[in-house]
Amino acid sequence: MTTQTVHDGRPGVRVDNVSKSFGANGSRVTVLDGVSLSIGMGEFVSVIGPSGCGKSTLLKVIAGLVEADEGSVTIDGTSVRSAADGKLIGLVPQSPALLPWRTVLDNVRLPLTVNRKANAGRAVRDPEELLASFGLGAAIHKYPGQLSGGMQQRAAIARAFVFDPSILVMDEPFSALDEMNRDQQRLGLLEFWNSNRKAVLFVTHSVPEAIMLSDRIIVMAAHPGRIAEVIDVGLPRPRTAETYDTAEFRDLERDVRAALHGVMEKAHV
Amino acid sequence: MSENVMVRTASRAAPAPAARRPQGDGSRPRLPSWMSWRAWLPTVVAFGVTATIWQLVATANPFVIPTLEEIWASLAGAPEMYWTNFQVTLNEVAIGATSGIAAGFLLAVVMSEFRIIERVVMPLVVVVMVTPIVAIAPALVVAFGFGMLPKYIVTGLVVFFPMLVNSLAGLRDVDVKALDVFRTLHASRWETFRHLRFPGSMPYVFAGLRIALPMAVVGAAVAEFVAAGQQAGLGSLVTTSAAQANLPVTWASIFLLCAMGILLVCLLALVRKRVLWWSAADVVAR
Ligand SMILES: Nc1ncnc2c1ncn2[C@@H]1O[C@H](COP(=O)(O)OP(=O)(O)O)[C@@H](O)[C@H]1O
Ligand SMILES: [Mg+2]
């Protein structure tokens, strides 16, 4: 595979034929095998699949944390490297990973503090306003240790949004929360994203979560990690808690579960 | 009256703004645990029993240990002499430990940032550290004379290793998810150190200090043993008085060395509370 370096200026994310293996020559395991996908500007794409199928690895390749063996990734037409250098990627890890010695506000300001040369000419959101819109207006001077898990995760999302990134990558950001809390966080994220459309790659293992949030759902299969199916979610936006009760939602849920079942069954042959 | 004490101490125990204290989220202010007599009772009993046994043994065997009255009389009889010696040793501890701590931490930073340096330097460090300090001290006295320098070096060497090992563990034990965030922002190495690794290493650094500071007192005393009679200092005082079988002076000096260690540890606990309020638990380097 040749590495694509042309700047086609195309907005959004393009992943072309990405492969990745881990381990030494003798015991090499292919984790990603020829994965291609694209995320348009303002499009919300979820990745779902059995655990260990390479979802996090795919996300890390797109975020520039893991180098692909083959294939290419471009973000707004440039390489991942230069996208990171320009602070165009917003990462929300599985744990909030806030710095416990900084206030919530200072945590959200962190992206402004580091790699300052990328600050020039950038639209920066006001961190206080941003936190207020995430329902953390009263908590800006608190420390992460004083917040609930859900609030911490929202602060982590605000931190990723502060720089108006081209793409947000989120790795099961709500998986550590209890179900009631998860749903609330989900709807909160949806509402915020609705008025701040970004390209989003969202890794999850919850079917309702994937449907509720996404424009498209990518179902991955394991061993080796690859795209098994892509399901379009045609549900109208804005979506609210009532969306869960619609027939369309339930049909989609059945489709996604069926796709996942297919993926799991093949894995057991 | 106890009411008064309570209130004052409570506000003193909270140096940081209320928002800084994750533990006390709005719950009723409670008595700090160390204020309750129950917390102190075992300590008081332990000291009382020890002192009683001490007195019994001392009275029966006057040539083994002096009685507590004799020790006290010695202290009260020559407070300036003891104070001067205390200061000499404290000075050795202060300068020696500060250098050793700084050197240990800086080397840990260099090692954690450049793996190759660790591979080159670590074996040497281990060789120096398994060499008994008591054996190095006389050699240093021969090399550098009876002045303060060998004492600074011995004290510094003693604290250097625990500081190095703990700081290295702390700088390595970085939150990988937070590191991922820094990497996606293309934070520079310096920024990652300044905003993530350095503050994140502090729980380990303080765990290292907790070990290093009492050891610094040991180091200073050992260094003085070797060069006894030439310079003042509580360690010298122990050896010279023991040689003259002046047991009250010997034991008064030992108690003062002990007090110095306790003082340093308490001071450290205070600083730790101010600096590390965000860290719930003490960590121990593995
Ligand atoms: N740095 C790595 N070194 C070796 N193996 C890895 C590494 N990262 C992931 N893997 C392996 O790749 C596979 C996919 O992992 P991951 O992408 O985390 O899966 P998922 O997020 O879908 O659960 C797993 O079998 C995991 O053990
Ligand atoms: Mg994962």
Side-chain angles (χ1 to χ4, degrees):
Chain A
M1 271 295 122
T2 53
T3 310
Q4 184 184 342
T5 48
V6 288
H7 291 207
D8 57 10
R10 209 167 158 155
V13 179
R14 296 180 59 84
V15 177
D16 267 310
N17 233 328
V18 160
S19 295
K20 176 75 193 172
S21 324
F22 285 113
N25 278 336
S27 57
R28 239 174 139 65
V29 180
T30 306
V31 173
L32 294 176
D33 187 23
V35 174
S36 298
L37 62 96
S38 67
I39 306 169
M41 204 167 63
E43 196 182 15
F44 202 120
V45 173
S46 287
V47 176
I48 196 165
S51 86
C53 72
K55 303 184 293 291
S56 295
T57 306
L58 175 62
L59 177 138
K60 283 180 179 171
V61 168
I62 293 172
L65 299 169
V66 165
E67 190 124 13
D69 297 338
E70 277 177 48
S72 72
V73 180
T74 58
I75 292 169
D76 283 355
T78 70
S79 69
V80 172
R81 214 192 137 70
S82 59
D85 201 36
K87 294 200 269 195
L88 298 177
I89 307 167
L91 172 70
V92 181
Q94 202 163 354
S95 64
L98 300 169
L99 307 181
W101 52 85
R102 282 179 167 238
T103 61
V104 170
L105 184 58
D106 284 341
N107 265 287
V108 172
R109 279 183 182 146
L110 181 79
L112 314 178
T113 320
V114 299
N115 185 6
R116 283 166 181 271
K117 68 180 186 316
N119 288 12
R122 282 291 291 279
V124 175
R125 298 182 156 277
D126 178 34
E128 297 192 33
E129 259 173 45
L130 189 61
L131 280 164
S133 64
F134 273 95
L136 292 168
I140 57 171
H141 296 302
K142 289 195 172 173
Y143 286 82
Q146 294 169 286
L147 305 188
S148 70
M151 289 167 93
Q152 289 186 28
Q153 200 53 268
R154 263 183 281 157
I157 295 172
R159 177 180 61 187
F161 263 106
V162 74
F163 235 99
D164 251 340
S166 296
I167 179 177
L168 273 151
V169 289
M170 310 196 195
D171 194 354
E172 306 192 19
F174 306 139
S175 61
L177 308 177
D178 58 76
E179 186 52 37
M180 301 274 281
N181 215 329
R182 287 186 77 156
D183 198 41
Q184 202 187 341
Q185 303 304 331
R186 227 175 250 170
L187 294 170
L189 171 64
L190 202 54
E191 197 188 320
F192 186 82
W193 175 81
N194 245 328
S195 43
N196 303 269
R197 294 284 186 115
K198 299 280 161 214
V200 177
L201 182 83
F202 189 95
V203 171
T204 178
H205 57 236
S206 156
V207 173
E209 183 166 284
I211 298 169
M212 191 62 178
L213 297 173
S214 317
D215 296 312
R216 250 180 321 137
I217 299 173
I218 293 175
V219 181
M220 279 183 76
H223 311 299
R226 62 199 186 278
I227 295 177
E229 207 166 318
V230 179
I231 297 169
D232 278 309
V233 181
L235 297 173
R237 294 186 188 270
R239 299 171 192 166
T240 59
E242 282 83 62
T243 309
Y244 287 119
D245 303 325
T246 60
E248 292 89 335
F249 188 94
R250 263 173 272 143
D251 289 347
L252 277 162
E253 195 165 1
R254 199 189 49 228
D255 293 349
V256 177
R257 285 194 201 282
L260 277 172
H261 266 282
V263 163
M264 303 289 230
E265 235 128 73
K266 268 176 234 144
H268 286 292
V269 172
Chain B
M1 173 224 131
S2 70
E3 200 81 68
N4 255 328
V5 176
M6 248 171 60
V7 172
R8 245 191 297 130
T9 329
S11 58
R12 221 186 319 130
R20 271 197 176 190
R21 317 216 48 182
Q23 299 96 329
D25 29 55
S27 59
R28 201 158 45 90
R30 288 184 54 220
L31 228 69
S33 60
W34 59 269
M35 291 261 318
S36 115
W37 62 272
R38 276 170 202 280
W40 281 98
L41 191 61
T43 316
V44 170
V45 169
F47 272 101
V49 170
T50 311
T52 311
I53 295 173
W54 179 289
Q55 287 297 74
L56 289 174
V57 174
T59 318
N61 313 281
F63 299 108
V64 176
I65 48 171
T67 61
L68 294 175
E69 293 98 300
E70 286 173 305
I71 296 170
W72 176 248
S74 173
L75 280 168
E80 306 86 18
M81 189 274 287
Y82 283 110
W83 177 232
T84 311
N85 285 290
F86 189 91
Q87 281 176 300
V88 169
T89 305
L90 189 61
N91 167 60
E92 290 162 9
V93 168
I95 293 177
T98 308
S99 326
I101 288 163
F105 184 74
L106 288 178
L107 188 58
V109 170
V110 174
M111 279 184 175
S112 70
E113 293 288 325
F114 308 97
R115 277 279 153 124
I116 179 76
I117 305 270
E118 180 181 6
R119 292 212 201 95
V120 172
V121 179
M122 203 55 167
L124 292 173
V125 172
V126 172
V127 168
V128 173
M129 282 314 137
V130 296
T131 313
I133 209 74
V134 194
I136 299 181
L140 288 175
V141 171
V142 173
F144 300 108
F146 287 89
M148 299 305 272
L149 189 60
K151 284 152 193 159
Y152 295 151
I153 295 176
V154 170
T155 312
L157 274 178
V158 167
V159 299
F160 174 74
F161 199 55
M163 278 317 291
L164 174 68
V165 171
N166 280 276
S167 307
L168 198 56
L171 292 163
R172 291 264 162 78
D173 184 30
V174 57
D175 179 349
V176 288
K177 302 282 181 212
L179 193 59
D180 283 349
V181 172
F182 276 76
R183 284 177 62 200
T184 41
L185 291 166
H186 254 215
S188 69
R189 206 162 179 160
W190 163 248
E191 287 164 342
T192 307
F193 175 78
R194 156 90 180 69
H195 295 296
L196 181 63
R197 286 186 194 274
F198 176 72
S201 72
M202 282 301 122
Y204 286 82
V205 168
F206 273 85
L209 287 170
R210 179 74 178 66
I211 301 165
L213 286 185
M215 279 173 76
V217 179
V218 176
V222 165
E224 288 177 12
F225 287 175
V226 174
Q230 302 296 318
Q231 286 280 330
L234 293 171
S236 309
L237 207 53
V238 168
T239 32
T240 46
S241 62
Q244 295 155 10
N246 191 349
L247 285 182
V249 176
T250 309
W251 281 99
S253 309
I254 292 171
F255 282 159
L256 286 174
L257 280 169
C258 174
M260 189 184 296
I262 292 170
L263 196 80
L264 290 173
V265 169
C266 290
L267 216 70
L268 182 70
L270 281 179
V271 175
R272 189 190 187 282
K273 231 184 156 141
R274 286 209 90 113
V275 176
L276 276 188
W277 48 268
W278 53 267
S279 166
D282 237 318
V283 294
V284 178
R286 281 150 291 183

